[in-house]
Amino acid sequence: MDQTPARYFDGKSALERPVTIHLDLHALTISGKSISPIRWPLADLRAIDRPIPGMPFRLASKTEPDARLVIANDAFAAELVKLAPQLKGGFTVERLKRSAVFAAIALASVGLLTYLTLVLAPRLIASAMPDSWRNALGIQIESSFTEGMKVCNSPDGRAALDELARRIRENNPDLPAFTLTVYDTPAVNAFALPGGRIAVFSNLIATADTPEEVAGVVAHEIGHVANRHSEAQLVRAVGLQLLLSLASGGSGGNHLGELASVLTILQYSRDAEREADEYAQKTMTSARIDPLGLKHFFEKIQKLDGDSSILGDLGNMLSTHPVTQERIDAIKPLDGPSRPVLTPEDWATLRKICD
Ligand SMILES: [Zn+2]
């Protein structure tokens, strides 16, 4: 058997042409009425689907990629497959190419997964993290950040600091829980850690001219707490596994020292800073605290840029919360009267909290 009737589609028109195909050792030749004989070399043939006895066998060829040949003759198909074994199915070059495409798609999926882990998951993990983790992480990181620093806790100063925190909470029932600790250190900085732990450096209080400036910075840090920015940044920086180790109070704390810089954990994105600023603006507005305090403080920090004397081991506000003109411009005054954060006496006492 070396020839059989078949149906031929040229791929250009929908027309089905009855043809006769002829098989030799090297090619299939298609001929029929109004068709000049077409030669499909056997090596160029590929099966559209696997040859199944009793089913029409559909073929294509590199010679005419869009054309199809349908053979409804099992014996002929079997003969053809003997001469062109790639039609049997299995690993043909085409299939390999297709699996290469699948491999590429799979690799792209891994890329997507990496993207999700790095970009999306940190926020999800940060907000899903149990409070016990948050607290354990915050305590460990704060102690490793502030090793050797004196905690400023004069009783009157502490009372003034608590009063400042109380003022920020006024008309802000949804504020997250936070604790304030002042450390005696020359860096002009403040930072928020997991578990709502907010550290304020003594030189930040000394640099501020009004309690509104300090309150504005604290409100900004509460914005980082509320948005779980430090937790998300930790997930990005050290990965989930180390976080688990840290949270369980294991040897994770030792790994912190191995990090290039703890500062990287607190270097927030532009978006995170904007979120924290917006949170601060909203919080100050509800509490009737003048947001221009924060604005003035940011302007002051911007001017201090380049003065290396204010750079401590933990950097300054500029390195952990880069202040841009855009951020300064975004801070708007209240649309009505404000109330002072502290009395002049309490402010003077707060400034002496390290004494
Ligand atoms: Zn910030």
Side-chain angles (χ1 to χ4, degrees):
M1 155 120 27
D2 60 359
Q3 72 177 47
T4 188
R7 287 174 290 146
Y8 172 75
F9 303 84
D10 66 7
K12 292 165 200 132
S13 72
L15 201 65
E16 174 188 318
R17 297 162 201 263
V19 293
T20 300
I21 50 173
H22 178 268
L23 176 64
D24 62 39
L25 288 174
H26 306 287
L28 272 181
T29 307
I30 302 157
S31 53
K33 240 191 263 175
S34 72
I35 299 178
S36 43
I38 303 159
R39 203 179 129 82
W40 282 8
L42 295 185
D44 289 352
L45 297 180
R46 71 181 175 90
I48 300 298
D49 25 49
R50 293 160 66 97
I52 300 168
M55 300 283 286
F57 182 32
R58 297 190 300 150
L59 286 177
S61 168
K62 280 183 203 157
T63 319
E64 292 176 280
D66 296 328
R68 297 289 182 267
L69 197 59
V70 182
I71 304 166
N73 180 331
D74 290 351
F76 186 94
E79 195 77 8
L80 175 62
V81 168
K82 260 188 226 162
L83 292 170
Q86 80 271 18
L87 298 177
K88 249 187 292 193
F91 289 101
T92 64
V93 173
E94 280 305 314
R95 273 163 197 267
L96 274 178
K97 272 190 200 156
R98 264 180 281 159
S99 45
V101 170
F102 280 124
I105 292 168
L107 274 176
S109 309
V110 172
L112 180 66
L113 206 62
T114 308
Y115 170 82
L116 288 175
T117 309
L118 290 177
V119 179
L120 201 62
R123 296 198 77 123
L124 294 177
I125 295 168
S127 53
M129 197 180 280
D131 283 344
S132 58
W133 283 34
R134 265 183 240 290
N135 296 333
L137 285 168
I139 290 167
Q140 290 201 43
I141 297 166
E142 185 165 344
S143 64
S144 74
F145 272 19
T146 56
E147 209 179 317
M149 288 181 196
K150 181 187 140 193
V151 174
C152 300
N153 229 355
S154 76
D156 290 349
R158 183 70 237 182
L161 190 65
D162 290 345
E163 172 59 14
L164 180 133
R166 194 200 59 76
R167 270 295 281 119
I168 295 170
R169 287 197 167 282
E170 267 186 35
N171 296 319
N172 281 308
D174 296 333
L175 233 53
F178 64 91
T179 57
L180 287 175
T181 309
V182 177
Y183 289 94
D184 191 5
T185 183
V188 179
N189 211 347
F191 53 81
L193 293 174
R197 309 183 74 84
I198 297 173
V200 179
F201 291 166
S202 55
N203 204 20
L204 184 141
I205 297 173
T207 304
D209 292 306
T210 64
E212 280 69 21
E213 294 180 30
V214 178
V217 170
V218 170
H220 171 91
E221 297 303 331
I222 297 170
H224 285 308
V225 170
N227 288 293
R228 313 292 197 208
H229 288 152
S230 66
E231 288 95 326
Q233 200 67 349
L234 265 173
V235 174
R236 281 183 204 102
V238 302
L240 194 55
Q241 206 184 347
L242 181 54
L243 275 190
L244 277 165
S245 161
L246 279 167
S248 64
S251 60
N254 300 335
H255 295 286
L256 268 182
E258 294 163 16
L259 297 175
S261 167
V262 282
L263 270 184
T264 58
I265 295 171
L266 298 174
Q267 255 151 9
Y268 297 127
S269 70
R270 204 177 273 239
D271 283 348
E273 291 305 334
R274 198 181 48 237
E275 272 181 343
D277 285 348
E278 283 166 5
Y279 194 94
Q281 175 92 46
K282 186 172 61 102
T283 302
M284 288 185 287
T285 302
S286 305
R288 308 313 295 173
I289 295 170
D290 189 359
L292 295 183
L294 183 60
K295 196 180 183 109
H296 293 152
F297 190 80
F298 279 169
E299 284 165 346
K300 210 173 332 185
I301 286 296
Q302 213 183 24
K303 286 201 193 90
L304 285 172
D305 188 16
D307 181 353
S308 60
S309 66
I310 62 154
L311 281 169
D313 286 344
L314 280 162
N316 59 8
M317 283 289 288
L318 271 177
S319 58
T320 52
H321 313 267
V323 176
T324 59
Q325 194 58 44
E326 193 188 351
R327 286 182 61 193
I328 292 172
D329 293 342
I331 301 171
K332 303 294 180 217
L334 292 186
D335 55 5
S338 61
R339 290 198 310 278
V341 168
L342 294 178
T343 62
E345 295 75 28
D346 279 349
W347 174 231
T349 310
L350 178 57
R351 288 171 72 83
K352 286 188 266 177
I353 192 170
C354 290
D355 293 351

